[in-house]
Short mmCIF file of all heavy atoms in Angstrom, two decimals:
data_model
loop_
_atom_site.label_atom_id
_atom_site.label_comp_id
_atom_site.label_asym_id
_atom_site.label_seq_id
_atom_site.Cartn_x
_atom_site.Cartn_y
_atom_site.Cartn_z
N ARG A 164 36.26 57.32 117.10
CA ARG A 164 36.86 57.23 115.76
C ARG A 164 35.91 57.77 114.70
O ARG A 164 36.34 58.43 113.75
CB ARG A 164 37.27 55.78 115.47
CG ARG A 164 38.42 55.33 116.35
CD ARG A 164 38.99 53.97 115.98
NE ARG A 164 40.10 53.66 116.87
CZ ARG A 164 40.18 52.58 117.65
NH1 ARG A 164 39.21 51.67 117.62
NH2 ARG A 164 41.21 52.39 118.43
N VAL A 165 34.63 57.51 114.86
CA VAL A 165 33.64 58.05 113.93
C VAL A 165 33.65 59.58 113.99
O VAL A 165 33.65 60.26 112.95
CB VAL A 165 32.23 57.51 114.25
CG1 VAL A 165 31.18 58.19 113.37
CG2 VAL A 165 32.17 56.00 114.04
N GLU A 166 33.69 60.13 115.19
CA GLU A 166 33.71 61.59 115.35
C GLU A 166 34.96 62.21 114.73
O GLU A 166 34.89 63.28 114.11
CB GLU A 166 33.62 61.95 116.83
CG GLU A 166 32.25 61.71 117.46
CD GLU A 166 32.28 61.78 118.98
OE1 GLU A 166 33.33 62.17 119.53
OE2 GLU A 166 31.25 61.44 119.60
N LEU A 167 36.09 61.54 114.88
CA LEU A 167 37.33 62.07 114.31
C LEU A 167 37.28 62.05 112.79
O LEU A 167 37.73 63.00 112.13
CB LEU A 167 38.53 61.27 114.82
CG LEU A 167 38.92 61.54 116.28
CD1 LEU A 167 39.92 60.51 116.78
CD2 LEU A 167 39.51 62.95 116.42
N LEU A 168 36.71 61.00 112.21
CA LEU A 168 36.56 60.97 110.75
C LEU A 168 35.60 62.07 110.30
O LEU A 168 35.84 62.76 109.30
CB LEU A 168 36.07 59.60 110.29
CG LEU A 168 37.11 58.48 110.31
CD1 LEU A 168 36.47 57.15 109.94
CD2 LEU A 168 38.27 58.78 109.35
N HIS A 169 34.51 62.26 111.03
CA HIS A 169 33.57 63.34 110.70
C HIS A 169 34.27 64.69 110.76
O HIS A 169 34.03 65.57 109.91
CB HIS A 169 32.39 63.33 111.68
CG HIS A 169 31.41 62.23 111.44
ND1 HIS A 169 30.38 61.92 112.31
CD2 HIS A 169 31.28 61.34 110.41
CE1 HIS A 169 29.68 60.90 111.84
NE2 HIS A 169 30.21 60.53 110.70
N GLN A 170 35.13 64.86 111.75
CA GLN A 170 35.88 66.10 111.88
C GLN A 170 36.72 66.36 110.64
O GLN A 170 36.94 67.51 110.26
CB GLN A 170 36.79 66.00 113.12
CG GLN A 170 37.68 67.21 113.36
CD GLN A 170 38.59 66.99 114.57
OE1 GLN A 170 38.21 66.40 115.56
NE2 GLN A 170 39.81 67.51 114.47
N SER A 171 37.15 65.29 109.99
CA SER A 171 37.97 65.40 108.79
C SER A 171 37.15 65.43 107.51
O SER A 171 37.69 65.41 106.41
CB SER A 171 38.95 64.22 108.72
OG SER A 171 39.77 64.20 109.86
N GLY A 172 35.81 65.44 107.64
CA GLY A 172 34.96 65.51 106.47
C GLY A 172 34.66 64.17 105.84
O GLY A 172 34.20 64.12 104.69
N ILE A 173 34.92 63.08 106.56
CA ILE A 173 34.70 61.75 106.00
C ILE A 173 33.56 61.05 106.73
O ILE A 173 33.56 60.98 107.97
CB ILE A 173 35.99 60.90 106.09
CG1 ILE A 173 37.07 61.51 105.18
CG2 ILE A 173 35.71 59.45 105.70
CD1 ILE A 173 38.41 60.82 105.29
N GLU A 174 32.62 60.55 105.97
CA GLU A 174 31.48 59.81 106.51
C GLU A 174 31.65 58.34 106.13
O GLU A 174 31.51 57.98 104.97
CB GLU A 174 30.17 60.34 105.91
CG GLU A 174 28.94 59.57 106.35
CD GLU A 174 28.53 59.84 107.78
OE1 GLU A 174 28.56 61.01 108.19
OE2 GLU A 174 28.19 58.88 108.49
N PRO A 175 31.98 57.47 107.10
CA PRO A 175 32.09 56.05 106.76
C PRO A 175 30.77 55.52 106.20
O PRO A 175 29.70 55.86 106.71
CB PRO A 175 32.42 55.38 108.10
CG PRO A 175 32.95 56.48 108.97
CD PRO A 175 32.23 57.72 108.53
N ALA A 176 30.87 54.74 105.15
CA ALA A 176 29.66 54.17 104.55
C ALA A 176 29.09 53.03 105.40
O ALA A 176 27.91 52.71 105.32
CB ALA A 176 29.97 53.65 103.15
N ARG A 177 29.95 52.46 106.24
CA ARG A 177 29.51 51.33 107.06
C ARG A 177 30.44 51.18 108.26
O ARG A 177 31.66 51.38 108.13
CB ARG A 177 29.54 50.04 106.21
CG ARG A 177 29.05 48.78 106.93
CD ARG A 177 29.02 47.63 105.95
NE ARG A 177 28.59 46.38 106.59
CZ ARG A 177 28.49 45.21 105.96
NH1 ARG A 177 28.77 45.13 104.68
NH2 ARG A 177 28.09 44.13 106.61
N LEU A 178 29.87 50.86 109.41
CA LEU A 178 30.65 50.55 110.60
C LEU A 178 30.61 49.04 110.81
O LEU A 178 29.53 48.44 110.82
CB LEU A 178 30.09 51.26 111.84
CG LEU A 178 29.99 52.78 111.78
CD1 LEU A 178 29.46 53.32 113.10
CD2 LEU A 178 31.34 53.40 111.46
N MET A 179 31.77 48.44 110.97
CA MET A 179 31.86 46.99 111.17
C MET A 179 32.77 46.67 112.35
O MET A 179 33.95 46.36 112.18
CB MET A 179 32.40 46.30 109.91
CG MET A 179 31.47 46.35 108.71
SD MET A 179 32.13 45.39 107.32
CE MET A 179 32.09 43.71 107.99
N PRO A 180 32.26 46.76 113.57
CA PRO A 180 33.08 46.38 114.73
C PRO A 180 33.45 44.90 114.62
O PRO A 180 32.58 44.07 114.38
CB PRO A 180 32.16 46.64 115.92
CG PRO A 180 31.04 47.47 115.41
CD PRO A 180 30.90 47.16 113.96
N MET A 181 34.72 44.62 114.80
CA MET A 181 35.19 43.24 114.69
C MET A 181 35.51 42.68 116.07
O MET A 181 36.27 43.27 116.83
CB MET A 181 36.45 43.17 113.80
CG MET A 181 36.18 43.48 112.33
SD MET A 181 35.20 42.19 111.53
CE MET A 181 33.63 43.02 111.35
N ASP A 182 34.90 41.57 116.40
CA ASP A 182 35.10 40.92 117.70
C ASP A 182 36.25 39.93 117.57
O ASP A 182 36.06 38.80 117.12
CB ASP A 182 33.82 40.21 118.13
CG ASP A 182 33.93 39.63 119.54
OD1 ASP A 182 34.86 40.04 120.27
OD2 ASP A 182 33.10 38.78 119.89
N ILE A 183 37.44 40.37 117.93
CA ILE A 183 38.61 39.50 117.87
C ILE A 183 39.23 39.37 119.26
O ILE A 183 38.96 40.18 120.15
CB ILE A 183 39.68 40.02 116.87
CG1 ILE A 183 40.26 41.37 117.36
CG2 ILE A 183 39.10 40.16 115.46
CD1 ILE A 183 41.48 41.81 116.60
N ASP A 184 40.06 38.37 119.42
CA ASP A 184 40.77 38.18 120.69
C ASP A 184 41.89 39.22 120.78
O ASP A 184 42.81 39.21 119.96
CB ASP A 184 41.34 36.75 120.74
CG ASP A 184 42.04 36.46 122.07
OD1 ASP A 184 42.08 37.35 122.95
OD2 ASP A 184 42.56 35.33 122.22
N GLU A 185 41.80 40.11 121.75
CA GLU A 185 42.80 41.18 121.88
C GLU A 185 43.85 40.87 122.94
O GLU A 185 44.61 41.76 123.35
CB GLU A 185 42.09 42.50 122.19
CG GLU A 185 41.13 42.92 121.09
CD GLU A 185 40.55 44.32 121.27
OE1 GLU A 185 41.03 45.04 122.17
OE2 GLU A 185 39.64 44.68 120.51
N THR A 186 43.93 39.62 123.37
CA THR A 186 44.91 39.24 124.39
C THR A 186 46.33 39.36 123.84
O THR A 186 46.63 38.80 122.78
CB THR A 186 44.68 37.78 124.84
OG1 THR A 186 43.32 37.63 125.24
CG2 THR A 186 45.61 37.41 125.97
N PRO A 187 47.20 40.07 124.54
CA PRO A 187 48.60 40.16 124.07
C PRO A 187 49.28 38.80 124.11
O PRO A 187 48.98 37.96 124.97
CB PRO A 187 49.25 41.12 125.08
CG PRO A 187 48.12 41.84 125.74
CD PRO A 187 46.97 40.88 125.75
N LYS A 188 50.17 38.57 123.16
CA LYS A 188 50.97 37.36 123.18
C LYS A 188 52.08 37.50 124.23
O LYS A 188 52.40 38.62 124.65
CB LYS A 188 51.59 37.11 121.81
CG LYS A 188 50.55 36.81 120.72
CD LYS A 188 51.20 36.56 119.38
CE LYS A 188 50.16 36.23 118.32
NZ LYS A 188 50.75 36.02 116.99
N LYS A 189 52.62 36.41 124.65
CA LYS A 189 53.67 36.44 125.68
C LYS A 189 54.84 37.31 125.22
O LYS A 189 55.36 37.15 124.11
CB LYS A 189 54.15 35.02 125.96
CG LYS A 189 55.14 34.94 127.12
CD LYS A 189 55.54 33.51 127.42
CE LYS A 189 56.52 33.44 128.59
NZ LYS A 189 56.91 32.05 128.90
N SER A 190 55.21 38.26 126.05
CA SER A 190 56.32 39.19 125.81
C SER A 190 56.10 40.10 124.60
O SER A 190 57.05 40.70 124.09
CB SER A 190 57.64 38.42 125.64
OG SER A 190 57.92 37.65 126.78
N GLU A 191 54.87 40.23 124.13
CA GLU A 191 54.60 41.08 122.97
C GLU A 191 54.75 42.56 123.34
O GLU A 191 54.23 43.02 124.36
CB GLU A 191 53.19 40.82 122.45
CG GLU A 191 52.88 41.50 121.13
CD GLU A 191 51.58 41.03 120.50
OE1 GLU A 191 50.69 40.57 121.25
OE2 GLU A 191 51.44 41.12 119.27
N HIS A 192 55.47 43.30 122.51
CA HIS A 192 55.68 44.72 122.75
C HIS A 192 54.38 45.46 122.45
O HIS A 192 53.63 45.09 121.54
CB HIS A 192 56.81 45.25 121.86
CG HIS A 192 57.25 46.62 122.22
ND1 HIS A 192 56.57 47.76 121.82
CD2 HIS A 192 58.31 47.06 122.95
CE1 HIS A 192 57.19 48.83 122.28
NE2 HIS A 192 58.25 48.44 122.97
N PRO A 193 54.07 46.51 123.23
CA PRO A 193 52.83 47.26 122.99
C PRO A 193 52.68 47.75 121.55
O PRO A 193 51.59 47.71 120.99
CB PRO A 193 52.94 48.43 123.97
CG PRO A 193 53.88 47.98 125.03
CD PRO A 193 54.81 47.01 124.40
N ARG A 194 53.76 48.21 120.95
CA ARG A 194 53.72 48.67 119.55
C ARG A 194 53.33 47.52 118.62
O ARG A 194 52.49 47.70 117.71
CB ARG A 194 55.08 49.25 119.15
CG ARG A 194 55.22 49.52 117.65
CD ARG A 194 56.60 50.04 117.32
NE ARG A 194 56.71 51.45 117.64
CZ ARG A 194 56.37 52.43 116.81
NH1 ARG A 194 55.87 52.16 115.61
NH2 ARG A 194 56.50 53.68 117.16
N SER A 195 53.93 46.36 118.86
CA SER A 195 53.62 45.19 118.03
C SER A 195 52.18 44.75 118.19
O SER A 195 51.53 44.32 117.23
CB SER A 195 54.56 44.03 118.38
OG SER A 195 55.91 44.40 118.18
N LEU A 196 51.66 44.87 119.42
CA LEU A 196 50.27 44.50 119.67
C LEU A 196 49.32 45.42 118.91
O LEU A 196 48.37 44.94 118.27
CB LEU A 196 49.98 44.58 121.17
CG LEU A 196 48.52 44.30 121.59
CD1 LEU A 196 48.14 42.86 121.27
CD2 LEU A 196 48.33 44.58 123.08
N ALA A 197 49.56 46.72 118.96
CA ALA A 197 48.71 47.67 118.24
C ALA A 197 48.73 47.39 116.74
O ALA A 197 47.69 47.43 116.07
CB ALA A 197 49.16 49.10 118.52
N ARG A 198 49.89 47.08 116.22
CA ARG A 198 50.03 46.78 114.79
C ARG A 198 49.28 45.50 114.43
O ARG A 198 48.54 45.45 113.45
CB ARG A 198 51.51 46.66 114.43
CG ARG A 198 51.78 46.41 112.95
CD ARG A 198 53.27 46.30 112.68
NE ARG A 198 53.52 46.09 111.27
CZ ARG A 198 53.65 47.04 110.37
NH1 ARG A 198 53.54 48.31 110.73
NH2 ARG A 198 53.88 46.76 109.10
N ARG A 199 49.48 44.47 115.24
CA ARG A 199 48.85 43.16 114.94
C ARG A 199 47.34 43.25 115.03
O ARG A 199 46.64 42.74 114.14
CB ARG A 199 49.39 42.11 115.92
CG ARG A 199 48.72 40.74 115.75
CD ARG A 199 49.38 39.68 116.61
NE ARG A 199 49.23 39.89 118.04
CZ ARG A 199 48.15 39.54 118.75
NH1 ARG A 199 47.10 39.00 118.14
NH2 ARG A 199 48.11 39.75 120.06
N LEU A 200 46.82 43.86 116.08
CA LEU A 200 45.37 43.90 116.26
C LEU A 200 44.69 44.75 115.18
O LEU A 200 43.60 44.40 114.72
CB LEU A 200 45.01 44.41 117.65
CG LEU A 200 45.41 43.50 118.81
CD1 LEU A 200 44.94 44.09 120.14
CD2 LEU A 200 44.85 42.09 118.64
N SER A 201 45.31 45.84 114.78
CA SER A 201 44.71 46.65 113.72
C SER A 201 44.65 45.85 112.42
O SER A 201 43.65 45.91 111.68
CB SER A 201 45.47 47.96 113.51
OG SER A 201 46.79 47.75 113.05
N ALA A 202 45.68 45.07 112.15
CA ALA A 202 45.70 44.23 110.94
C ALA A 202 44.65 43.13 111.03
O ALA A 202 43.95 42.85 110.04
CB ALA A 202 47.08 43.63 110.74
N GLU A 203 44.52 42.51 112.19
CA GLU A 203 43.56 41.42 112.34
C GLU A 203 42.12 41.93 112.21
O GLU A 203 41.26 41.24 111.64
CB GLU A 203 43.76 40.72 113.69
CG GLU A 203 45.03 39.89 113.74
CD GLU A 203 45.22 39.15 115.06
OE1 GLU A 203 44.34 39.27 115.94
OE2 GLU A 203 46.25 38.46 115.20
N LYS A 204 41.85 43.12 112.71
CA LYS A 204 40.52 43.71 112.55
C LYS A 204 40.22 43.99 111.08
O LYS A 204 39.12 43.74 110.59
CB LYS A 204 40.40 44.99 113.37
CG LYS A 204 40.37 44.75 114.88
CD LYS A 204 40.32 46.07 115.64
CE LYS A 204 40.32 45.85 117.15
NZ LYS A 204 40.31 47.13 117.90
N GLY A 205 41.22 44.52 110.38
CA GLY A 205 41.04 44.79 108.95
C GLY A 205 40.83 43.52 108.16
O GLY A 205 39.95 43.45 107.29
N ASP A 206 41.61 42.50 108.47
CA ASP A 206 41.48 41.21 107.79
C ASP A 206 40.11 40.59 108.03
O ASP A 206 39.49 40.02 107.13
CB ASP A 206 42.57 40.23 108.25
CG ASP A 206 43.96 40.61 107.76
OD1 ASP A 206 44.05 41.43 106.81
OD2 ASP A 206 44.94 40.11 108.33
N ALA A 207 39.62 40.70 109.28
CA ALA A 207 38.31 40.14 109.63
C ALA A 207 37.20 40.86 108.88
O ALA A 207 36.24 40.22 108.39
CB ALA A 207 38.08 40.23 111.13
N ALA A 208 37.30 42.18 108.77
CA ALA A 208 36.29 42.94 108.04
C ALA A 208 36.32 42.59 106.55
O ALA A 208 35.27 42.43 105.92
CB ALA A 208 36.51 44.44 108.24
N PHE A 209 37.52 42.44 106.01
CA PHE A 209 37.63 42.09 104.59
C PHE A 209 37.01 40.72 104.33
O PHE A 209 36.29 40.52 103.36
CB PHE A 209 39.10 42.09 104.15
CG PHE A 209 39.29 41.65 102.73
CD1 PHE A 209 39.00 42.52 101.68
CD2 PHE A 209 39.72 40.37 102.43
CE1 PHE A 209 39.16 42.11 100.36
CE2 PHE A 209 39.88 39.95 101.12
CZ PHE A 209 39.59 40.83 100.08
N ALA A 210 37.29 39.77 105.20
CA ALA A 210 36.73 38.42 105.06
C ALA A 210 35.20 38.46 105.11
O ALA A 210 34.52 37.68 104.42
CB ALA A 210 37.27 37.50 106.14
N ALA A 211 34.66 39.38 105.90
CA ALA A 211 33.20 39.46 106.07
C ALA A 211 32.49 40.04 104.85
O ALA A 211 31.31 39.74 104.62
CB ALA A 211 32.87 40.29 107.30
N ILE A 212 33.19 40.87 104.05
CA ILE A 212 32.52 41.53 102.92
C ILE A 212 33.02 41.07 101.55
O ILE A 212 32.47 41.48 100.53
CB ILE A 212 32.65 43.06 103.03
CG1 ILE A 212 34.12 43.53 103.00
CG2 ILE A 212 31.97 43.59 104.27
CD1 ILE A 212 34.62 44.00 101.67
#
Side-chain angles (χ1 to χ4, degrees):
R164 292 188 179 123
V165 174
E166 288 167 8
L167 286 168
L168 285 175
H169 285 170
Q170 178 183 323
S171 301
I173 294 175
E174 176 73 43
R177 183 175 178 180
L178 302 182
M179 292 185 65
M181 291 292 107
D182 186 16
I183 65 169
D184 183 0
E185 299 188 9
T186 307
K188 295 180 178 178
K189 186 177 181 180
S190 301
E191 188 169 25
H192 191 279
R194 169 182 281 273
S195 301
L196 177 64
R198 182 180 181 87
R199 176 173 66 82
L200 293 182
S201 65
E203 289 182 0
K204 289 177 181 179
D206 289 343
F209 176 77
I212 61 98

